[in-house]
Amino acid sequence: MSQEVKIISKRFDDPKAATLDGYLASGGFQALEKALTMAPEAIIDEVKKSNLRGRGGAGFPTGMKWSFVPKQSERPKYVLCNADESEPGTCKDRLILQYDPFSLIEGMIIAGKAIDSHQGYVFIRGEYRYLFDIMERAINEAYRAGYLGKNIRGSGLDFDLYAHSGAGAYECGEESALMESLEGKRGIPRLKPPFPAISGLYGGPTVINNMETLATVPHIIVGGGEWYANLGVPKNGGTRLFCLSGHVARPGVYELPLGVPFPRLLEVGGGVANGKKLKAVVPGGSSTPMFTAEEAMGLNMDYDSIAKAGSFLGSGGVVILDENTCMVKFALRIMQFYRHESCGWCVPCREGTNWLHLALGRFHAGGGREGDVDLLREVSENILGRTFCPLGDAAAMPTLSILKRFRQEFLDHLAGKPCSCGVSGRPALATH
Amino acid sequence: MSVFSQATQERFQTLLSHYPVKRSALVPMLLFAQDELGYLPPEAIREVGELVGASELAVREVIGYYSMLRLEPAGKYHVQVCTNISCMLRGGDDIYRHCKERLGIGHKEVAADGVFSLEEVECIGACSWAPALQVNYDFHQELTPEKVDEILRDYRKKAAAR
């Protein structure tokens, strides 16, 4: 039944893999042994060849990101793992942390060798405390066995790694805000450029990657870039973890090759729950523009296909909405989130998310006014592209996509027609 | 005199050794401080500030930013219900309402006996196992109102046993 291709998730069923012995028994640290004999450029070339792209959201080619780090630097260089998994609909990194923490350690040491960095940090969201504990234990075990610290396994390579806990802030998943937080400050984004590869943590050249991205690196080093690239489709190498949630029969995290047709992904999840009809799909976390059922059924799940269709593969959080979902309510809940998480630094985001939340709330409660649909669109368009970081866009993009694709539903609300929730009246959000 | 236990003080020292800049330890230190004290009282804020070389005002500025850090005590068991999209689509709103009714408290309120507090929270990364909630750091997933009752009963028992 399962059409999964298990690479990143190959140890998820092995309870021993979270210990060093278990990890070694399942082929762990073979990539490091190999990488220790490779030149830094050769490692970067292999990752480039693999067509591995960032699994956190933006989908930037990982090898290219690494190659931007200058060889010579007066300041120390850093490798950061972004495990601040907070994008609604996304729940994959926690499985890697839980079942395969050493693959991350191994990936980060290899990244360190590739860019000549001797210090890494794993930034884990504060809510994931049990995973922070697992990571800390794994790191301590790696130190004791000589896989971290000075002169790793007698190779002459030095690499230190520590787990760092956040304390609740979606914004810290944005790379520059994460660095501010790691420096003990409020998680406010930095103006870019300079990009982290030139000036990141403590002003040093920094590579920052999503946890799944870094944990994939050892598999690429062992299997080869070409092997990995061929698992996916051109320019979209390998497999990724898709987090299926919402109205799907078997929600879960499934590993499938990039480019998998959406209908097949849905089938792996058992189809829409309770035999209902599909209405809409969030392709890659709450910030990505949504698709109608019809659009979604024609999609291939890779970065370029989804971009061509006007959205993003994002963080792999695929949310399924059935025919009874009220899109006004859905838009409102998304905006409640972004309003709460806006760091307040940029006016368009801070004010825009607040006004959009108020207007959507009024609308959903039955107090919508003529012209409100256009007002929502205008405010969203005025946020788009006008903020330091992508959080503003993340709030505006799904809203615009819902307004465009489900405009009639908004107009029906205005006309006082019963909402597609199928419930008489309009159920309020739980909201406080 | 420190307001923290020996173990927490040692943990702070280990943390401080992880960074080239002391200030970097601030956010995790505040969270660990809160784990021990239940919240961040002024004396804890001052002590953590001294350890990282930051003024009390600077520390308060940081505390104000992070949603998990608090200046007032929460209940012994802090119930955090996710109502974000993936949970909402699977009845997260009902779970939250159910918790409000059962506990007799609302958002960010603490029950009179101090056993429970409640908070409606944003996505906790349990989307594929929705609806979900956290009690302190423990996840409870694939919830139904009946399951919530069981969970709350278990914590109440635990509180009584101490």
Side-chain angles (χ1 to χ4, degrees):
Chain A
M1 169 63 221
S2 175
Q3 296 150 331
E4 283 190 84
V5 182
K6 294 197 170 197
I7 294 165
I8 194 83
S9 59
K10 77 169 192 176
R11 296 189 181 92
F12 286 6
D13 301 322
D14 175 3
K16 290 202 191 80
T19 66
L20 181 59
D21 286 344
Y23 186 64
L24 288 168
S26 61
F29 285 117
Q30 283 175 10
L32 180 65
E33 300 289 340
K34 190 170 167 189
L36 288 172
T37 67
M38 294 166 74
E41 296 77 22
I43 296 173
I44 294 178
D45 278 347
E46 212 56 43
V47 176
K48 274 187 181 166
K49 245 189 269 172
S50 76
N51 287 338
L52 172 65
R53 293 169 66 169
R55 302 295 193 236
F60 196 81
T62 307
M64 201 187 296
K65 200 185 229 187
W66 291 9
S67 72
F68 292 155
V69 175
K71 281 201 178 62
Q72 304 296 329
S73 168
E74 277 177 26
R75 290 172 189 259
K77 304 180 200 175
Y78 297 95
V79 178
L80 300 184
C81 167
N82 185 346
D84 192 49
E85 179 161 78
S86 317
E87 171 85 359
T90 318
C91 50
K92 62 188 180 64
D93 296 340
R94 71 181 268 189
L95 298 180
I96 303 173
L97 278 165
Q98 182 168 356
Y99 298 110
D100 202 4
F102 287 96
S103 67
L104 175 72
I105 296 174
E106 188 173 9
M108 290 184 76
I109 304 169
I110 295 169
K113 162 120 194 186
I115 65 155
D116 190 28
S117 159
H118 308 291
Q119 178 70 62
Y121 295 99
V122 187
F123 187 107
I124 302 172
R125 67 179 295 186
E127 292 86 348
Y128 281 180
R129 172 58 64 80
Y130 79 105
L131 300 167
F132 178 87
D133 294 341
I134 291 172
M135 196 69 228
E136 257 199 341
R137 272 200 300 276
I139 287 173
N140 289 337
E141 226 184 319
Y143 265 107
R144 282 197 299 274
Y147 284 100
L148 284 172
K150 294 255 176 287
N151 192 19
I152 290 172
R153 307 293 287 175
S155 65
L157 181 74
D158 301 339
F159 193 75
D160 281 303
L161 181 65
Y162 300 113
H164 179 97
S165 176
Y170 168 77
E171 175 59 12
C172 290
E174 195 279 332
E175 57 187 18
S176 66
L178 184 150
M179 291 173 206
E180 287 287 300
S181 183
L182 191 39
E183 292 180 11
K185 295 177 267 182
R186 294 166 74 93
I188 306 290
R190 296 173 181 172
L191 183 62
K192 287 183 264 187
F195 290 96
I198 305 302
S199 175
L201 186 65
Y202 309 123
T206 302
V207 150
I208 176 164
N209 289 125
N210 171 261
M211 152 151 256
E212 185 185 350
T213 312
L214 286 163
T216 301
V217 168
H219 301 291
I220 290 169
I221 297 299
V222 169
E226 205 179 308
W227 159 78
Y228 189 78
N230 287 335
L231 293 168
V233 290
K235 293 186 183 164
N236 295 260
T239 58
R240 80 170 296 169
L241 298 172
F242 289 97
C243 321
L244 272 182
S245 71
H247 298 138
V248 56
R250 286 190 302 274
V253 178
Y254 301 100
E255 182 170 2
L256 291 161
L258 283 172
V260 63
F262 171 77
R264 203 171 130 206
L265 174 62
L266 185 58
E267 194 188 304
V268 170
V272 181
N274 305 316
K276 294 242 172 83
K277 271 201 287 199
L278 181 67
K279 179 173 188 172
V281 176
V282 176
S286 65
S287 64
T288 57
M290 297 181 67
F291 291 116
T292 61
E294 198 187 0
E295 289 172 309
M297 292 311 273
L299 281 179
N300 288 333
M301 301 301 283
D302 61 80
Y303 297 93
D304 296 332
S305 302
I306 304 262
K308 213 172 137 196
S311 188
F312 301 94
L313 191 58
S315 60
V318 182
V319 188
I320 307 298
L321 282 66
D322 77 16
E323 55 190 314
N324 295 122
T325 314
C326 168
M327 298 310 291
V328 179
K329 182 178 173 181
F330 198 75
L332 171 59
R333 188 60 188 87
I334 288 180
M335 196 51 64
Q336 181 183 325
F337 172 70
Y338 288 106
R339 177 201 184 190
H340 182 262
E341 299 300 335
S342 175
C343 77
W345 185 245
C346 313
V347 177
C349 176
R350 182 185 69 217
E351 296 300 316
T353 53
N354 189 43
W355 285 109
L356 284 173
H357 182 249
L358 287 172
L360 281 164
R362 179 177 74 190
F363 206 100
H364 185 259
R369 299 173 197 168
E370 214 56 51
D372 268 1
V373 180
D374 291 326
L375 176 76
L376 289 165
R377 184 177 48 76
E378 270 171 40
V379 175
S380 301
E381 282 171 351
N382 276 309
I383 299 175
L384 210 59
R386 290 183 166 88
T387 53
F388 268 62
C389 90
L391 195 146
D393 294 348
M397 290 188 306
T399 310
L400 285 167
S401 75
I402 295 171
L403 287 169
K404 184 175 161 202
R405 289 170 169 84
F406 300 97
R407 189 182 173 89
Q408 191 54 47
E409 208 161 310
F410 282 78
L411 299 177
D412 287 350
H413 267 74
L414 265 186
K417 288 186 191 161
C419 162
S420 65
C421 311
V423 183
S424 69
R426 290 174 196 117
L429 286 183
T431 308
H432 310 337
Chain B
M1 259 316 270
S2 172
V3 292
F4 300 108
S5 67
Q6 193 63 33
T8 298
Q9 288 182 58
E10 280 164 20
R11 183 151 209 198
F12 286 170
Q13 289 308 319
T14 309
L15 254 180
L16 287 165
S17 74
H18 290 175
Y19 311 94
V21 173
K22 279 185 181 175
R23 173 78 187 248
S24 274
L26 179 57
V27 175
M29 270 170 81
L30 287 168
L31 195 60
F32 298 150
Q34 178 174 287
D35 288 345
E36 178 160 299
L37 305 174
Y39 70 113
L40 296 166
E43 55 274 23
I45 293 171
R46 277 193 292 274
E47 188 172 333
V48 169
E50 277 165 24
L51 284 167
V52 302
S55 68
E56 190 181 332
L57 182 66
V59 177
R60 284 184 183 274
E61 189 193 40
V62 167
I63 293 170
Y65 179 84
Y66 294 94
S67 60
M68 290 174 73
L69 302 177
R70 52 179 178 257
L71 299 169
E72 303 286 336
K76 187 177 187 61
Y77 298 109
H78 187 49
V79 180
Q80 303 144 80
V81 186
C82 176
T83 59
N84 209 309
I85 50 173
S86 298
C87 281
M88 179 181 91
L89 294 175
R90 296 185 82 91
D93 288 359
D94 296 335
I95 296 297
Y96 179 59
R97 278 192 208 103
H98 188 77
C99 287
K100 277 206 284 197
E101 278 172 29
R102 280 288 184 271
L103 299 175
I105 48 176
H107 180 61
K108 291 196 175 178
E109 287 179 357
V110 186
D113 62 3
V115 174
F116 288 109
S117 50
L118 181 65
E119 187 175 353
E120 181 187 8
V121 294
E122 294 302 345
C123 185
I124 52 176
C127 317
S128 291
W129 310 279
L133 61 78
Q134 270 188 293
V135 179
N136 298 346
Y137 290 115
D138 294 333
F139 280 85
H140 299 277
Q141 304 173 154
E142 295 173 325
L143 298 170
T144 58
E146 296 73 37
K147 230 169 139 179
V148 168
D149 287 343
E150 253 173 66
I151 291 162
L152 295 179
R153 204 179 307 134
D154 287 349
Y155 280 106
R156 210 177 278 286
K157 262 191 223 156
K158 251 203 229 173
R162 289 200 183 168

